[in-house]
Structures are given as C-alpha cells and as structure tokens.
Amino acid sequence: PFDRMVKARATDFGVIPGHSSSLAQDWLNWDNEYTSWKQRGLEVDACIQFTSSSFPRSVFNDPYQAGYNYGYSFAKHFGRLSGTGDISTIEVGNEPWIGGVGYSDPNFYRQVLSGMSQGAKEADPTIRVLPAAFGNLNDTLSRVTPDHLRYLDGWNIHTYSWINTVKGRTGIFPEHPLSTLHSVNSMIRFRDANTPNLPIHLTEWGSDSAGGG
C-alpha cells in the first residue's frame, strides 16, 4: 500500500522525528530507510524480489499485468518525477535461475520483466530499470528478448572472487586467472557485441573473502 507510506514531498519520515504514515507497522514504511540514505548522498537501488517459495506461479493470474501494476505503483511512489525521489534504480528480480527460489520456466520471468519494466517507465521515465542477474549467457538469452530492451537501462551482474578446488568453492584474490570475478569480462564482451549503448551494473559482488560458509 504505497499510498499509505510517506506522501510525496513530505518532510516527516515516520518514526523519527514523527509519524506521517498510516501503515500499522512502521517498519513497512520503507521511506523511513530510503529517505535517510538519500539524504546522506547515497543512490538507492531496490531489488524487487519475487521467489517461487513466497509467490508460486499459481498466485499469478496474469504475470505481465501483475508485473506492470507493481512496477507502476513502485515507481510512481518512489520515483523522482512525481514521488518521493528515494529510489534511483529498480531491479526486476534477483537471481531467477536459482533452484528452489527461482522459476524454471524462463517464459514466466519474461512476462513479469515485460510488465514491471514497462509499468515503471510509464510511471516515471527517469527511474533506472535493470533486469535480474542471470546464471550464464544461455540463461540471459532465454529470459531477455530484444523487445525488453526499450524499457531497460542496462545489464545486471553478480560476481564474487571464488575458485573451484577439491575443497569446493574457495575465496581467492581477484587477480587470479581462474577467479570467477572474471565473469564480468564475459558480460562486457556480450554487451559490446550486442547492446553497446547499455551500461553494466555490478549490483552484488565481493572479493578476497570465502564468505560466511
């Protein structure tokens, strides 16, 4: 219920210093966080995650229309044009290829991407729209079509500095020739050959760390 969050151009952003939201739970008023980040000079990139575990295919009567409605409402509230201006970028999904949380049928993601990207752009042409990050080139080509490109402002990639050893996936310094960080180079080659005007956004990354296990 975006209309019950902070109103556009408001100066009172919830719990501190007051309460301008009519939501029952203050933590659902996302402007509380986003506005403070923006005021400190950060650009906010919101990843809109919809997973098969929380939102199975059966709840989508029309994936395109559901994506359009959500993208339009989100951008209308958070965009610069007529909203709070708290969000500069939205990502349509996170990693839809991952088993258990993603959707195995690429056509379903294509429909949601079509709707959400178009809805967001029609609500606020100034908001940056990115697709999700995909598992590999074949996955990218199965989930994004040339028709999507008119509503997208770049490609998205997640990468870490890992190497596969007998112990499994292990953190390695990013300069290592086998580091998975070099997947960025593959994305750059793909972009240069097919969509030279689209930038690449590295929205999730890490180096020199094996992670938390």
Side-chain angles (χ1 to χ4, degrees):
F2 299 108
D3 60 337
R4 290 162 57 195
M5 295 185 190
V6 169
K7 302 303 181 185
R9 316 305 176 203
T11 56
D12 175 7
F13 298 103
V15 181
I16 300 173
H19 184 86
S20 64
S21 165
S22 60
L23 289 170
Q25 300 292 332
D26 285 335
W27 62 269
L28 286 172
N29 183 0
W30 300 336
D31 289 287
N32 290 340
E33 298 173 76
Y34 296 155
T35 300
S36 64
W37 298 350
K38 185 184 69 173
Q39 288 175 338
R40 287 161 177 77
L42 297 176
E43 276 199 26
V44 181
D45 175 339
C47 180
I48 300 174
Q49 299 196 35
F50 46 99
T51 64
S52 57
S53 55
S54 298
F55 301 99
R57 286 284 304 272
S58 59
V59 306
F60 289 85
N61 294 326
D62 184 336
Y64 169 84
Q65 194 63 50
Y68 183 94
N69 293 344
Y70 193 93
Y72 187 94
S73 298
F74 194 93
K76 194 74 172 177
H77 179 80
F78 290 113
R80 298 184 184 96
L81 199 62
S82 59
T84 64
D86 288 340
I87 301 295
S88 65
T89 304
I90 65 172
E91 301 174 45
V92 182
N94 181 41
E95 296 176 346
W97 52 276
I98 294 182
V101 296
Y103 299 88
S104 57
D105 179 8
N107 181 57
F108 173 76
Y109 177 82
R110 289 199 299 267
Q111 295 178 65
V112 176
L113 177 63
S114 291
M116 196 175 293
S117 59
Q118 183 178 353
K121 282 296 190 181
E122 290 185 1
D124 188 340
T126 70
I127 203 163
R128 182 185 296 121
V129 179
L130 303 178
F134 304 113
N136 52 47
L137 180 57
N138 287 335
D139 190 49
T140 300
L141 295 175
S142 72
R143 296 181 190 271
V144 180
T145 71
D147 289 338
H148 291 118
L149 297 179
R150 57 181 165 163
Y151 298 115
L152 297 178
D153 297 296
W155 293 103
N156 188 359
I157 187 170
H158 297 169
T159 188
Y160 293 83
S161 189
W162 290 325
I163 188 172
N164 292 315
T165 70
V166 293
K167 297 180 180 180
R169 192 171 65 183
T170 304
I172 193 69
F173 54 93
E175 297 84 3
H176 193 286
L178 296 181
S179 169
T180 54
L181 197 69
H182 294 300
S183 62
V184 172
N185 296 329
S186 298
M187 176 59 87
I188 290 173
R189 288 192 294 270
F190 168 77
R191 184 277 310 276
D192 289 350
N194 296 283
T195 58
N197 294 325
L198 282 186
I200 296 170
H201 294 261
L202 183 59
T203 60
E204 187 178 314
W205 71 284
S207 63
D208 290 338
S209 173

